[in-house]
């Protein structure tokens, strides 16, 4: 129940109708007995500044930030955590207040840590000597590449439909190589790699028949394939991987982990990640598995 004491966080995105974040956070607030709520906030492009100011003015405690605002929001914050600044995207806002009640907006990124945690949970240890192909060069790809580089991974190749974006990512974050995304570059790079990560929206509901991997080539069986897409949980790419005996990891673990890290930044309850993540996962699975 919402009453006069309820503390609010929001989800800033455009569109936000299909996001699982409100479901996930509200399930965790309920399960952990916190009088908090997460509300979806559809913010059109161009309105980010006024929306962020509004959050502070209306007493919100924070927000998650999603597509397409993860980069634009950086221009309107009072401070940004060093890792979020380095990787170039913010997915979590915390409203911090001083003794006079003046608000400061602080930006964080929990995607990189969420990704690496989910990768380890899926049974893949990112360590020196391991080589990775990352498909896509948007905000999600930046978090993945940053997380992998920070965990000491060997080599990363970034493939993207728009080569310039992959080149910009590589220039900004280092430690990797950029190539245009074609069936040939993907297959060739994947043969020489241990891990393939899809950060693009290809295969996401409602276009569930899409896959970045070509139909006529089996996925190498030695690969671990991580698809950041979580709706559907079993994407076409993961089906292709499993068909060849390759290991597949779906996007739910990362979704839940980045959410649990944001939750702890807002509420500061000293809870373990697992305590927060468990009700989140259950709620997301209920929606995704129907
Ligand atoms: P996010 O922040 O979630 O990464 P984004 O910045 O919009 O979202 O990035 C989406 C990624 O999916 C990009 O790498 C995009 O490729 P472009 O940079 O060429 O646009 C990729 N993508 C989206 N649709 C695609 C498609 N049909 N084929 C290949 N790549 C696609």
């Amino acid at each position: 129940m919402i009453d006069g004491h309820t503390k609010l966080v929001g989800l800033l995105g455009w569109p936000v109708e299909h996001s699982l974040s409100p479901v996930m956070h509200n399930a965790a607030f309920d399960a952990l007995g916190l009088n908090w709520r997460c509300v979806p906030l559809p913010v059109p492009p161009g309105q980010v500044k006024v929306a962020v100011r509004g959050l502070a003015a209306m007493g919100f405690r924070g927000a998650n930030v999603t597509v397409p605002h993860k980069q634009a929001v950086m221009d309107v914050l009072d401070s940004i955590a060093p890792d979020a600044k380095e990787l170039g995207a913010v997915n979590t806002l915390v409203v911090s207040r001083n003794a006079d009640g003046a608000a400061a907006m602080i930006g964080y990124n929990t995607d990189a840590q969420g990704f690496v945690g989910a990768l380890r949970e899926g049974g893949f240890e990112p360590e020196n000597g391991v080589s990775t192909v990352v498909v896509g060069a948007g905000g999600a790809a930046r978090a993945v590449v940053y997380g992998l580089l920070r965990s000491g991974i060997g080599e990363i190749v970034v493939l993207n439909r728009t080569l310039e974006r992959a080149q910009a990512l590589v220039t900004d974050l280092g430690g990797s190589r950029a190539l245009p995304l074609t069936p040939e570059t993907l297959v060739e790079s994947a043969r020489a790699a241990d891990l393939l990560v899809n950060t693009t929206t290809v295969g996401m509901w409602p276009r569930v028949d899409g896959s970045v991997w070509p139909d006529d080539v089996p996925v190498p069986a030695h690969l671990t394939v991580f698809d950041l897409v979580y709706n559907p949980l079993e994407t076409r790419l993961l089906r292709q991987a499993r068909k060849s005996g390759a290991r597949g990891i779906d996007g739910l673990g990362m979704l839940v982990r980045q959410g649990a890290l944001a939750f702890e930044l807002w509420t500061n309850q000293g809870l373990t990640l697992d305590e927060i993540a468990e009700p989140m996962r259950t709620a997301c699975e209920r929606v995704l598995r129907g």
Side-chain angles (χ1 to χ4, degrees):
M1 194 181 74
I2 293 180
D3 61 22
H5 299 284
T6 305
K7 298 182 174 69
L8 287 178
V9 293
L11 168 74
L12 260 66
W14 183 263
V16 289
E17 285 84 353
H18 298 291
S19 169
L20 280 179
S21 289
V23 170
M24 179 170 94
H25 287 299
N26 289 325
F29 291 141
D30 284 344
L32 298 164
L34 297 176
N35 187 4
W36 286 61
R37 289 282 107 187
C38 177
V39 291
L41 301 171
V43 175
Q47 296 290 311
V48 174
K49 189 170 187 173
V50 69
V52 168
R53 287 214 183 117
L55 285 179
M58 290 188 291
F60 274 67
R61 300 303 172 116
N64 264 160
V65 183
T66 186
V67 177
H69 301 317
K70 286 185 184 183
Q71 280 157 321
V73 78
M74 297 179 81
D75 296 334
V76 300
L77 302 179
D78 297 298
S79 69
I80 298 175
D83 57 347
K85 200 179 267 181
E86 255 181 83
L87 79 83
V90 159
N91 79 330
T92 303
L93 303 183
V94 174
V95 186
S96 152
R97 284 178 201 278
N98 67 16
D100 305 332
M105 275 292 174
I106 308 171
Y108 296 88
N109 192 304
T110 64
D111 283 333
Q113 208 182 324
F115 167 72
V116 173
L119 185 61
R120 291 210 163 99
E121 186 183 50
F124 189 96
E125 202 51 48
E127 58 198 21
N128 198 11
V130 163
S131 100
T132 306
V133 177
V134 173
V135 185
R142 282 178 176 263
V144 165
V145 169
Y146 184 84
L148 290 170
L149 289 172
R150 284 285 287 263
S151 25
I153 203 139
E155 190 192 280
I156 303 175
V157 182
V158 180
L159 306 182
N160 198 47
R161 178 176 65 179
T162 312
L163 178 60
E164 295 73 32
R165 271 187 108 187
Q167 284 166 332
L169 188 161
V170 166
T171 305
D172 290 349
L173 300 184
S176 37
R177 208 149 60 84
L179 290 174
L181 173 63
T182 68
E184 294 74 29
T185 56
L186 177 58
V187 169
E188 198 177 316
S189 309
R191 282 194 178 128
D194 307 287
L195 174 66
L196 171 68
V197 186
N198 174 46
T199 73
T200 76
T201 48
V202 178
M204 190 185 284
W205 186 88
R207 299 208 191 111
V208 296
D209 286 338
S211 169
V212 291
W213 192 267
D215 264 337
D216 47 351
V217 185
V219 173
H222 73 275
L223 266 189
T224 294
V225 178
F226 193 131
D227 198 339
L228 262 55
V229 173
Y230 56 79
N231 189 8
L233 281 173
E234 169 103 325
T235 57
R236 172 114 184 253
L237 173 63
L238 289 183
R239 279 202 301 281
Q240 289 169 310
R242 285 181 184 136
K243 201 170 153 197
S244 326
R247 173 162 47 188
I249 305 176
D250 66 47
L252 184 59
M254 175 176 172
L255 173 75
V256 164
R257 278 167 180 272
Q258 65 75 28
L261 289 161
F263 185 103
E264 183 54 20
L265 285 170
W266 298 324
T267 63
N268 212 4
Q269 297 286 303
L271 296 160
T272 66
L273 205 59
D274 286 342
E275 282 173 298
I276 307 168
E278 208 262 333
M280 289 183 162
R281 183 183 300 273
T282 306
C284 290
E285 281 183 343
R286 196 176 308 129
V287 173
L288 292 170
R289 297 193 199 281

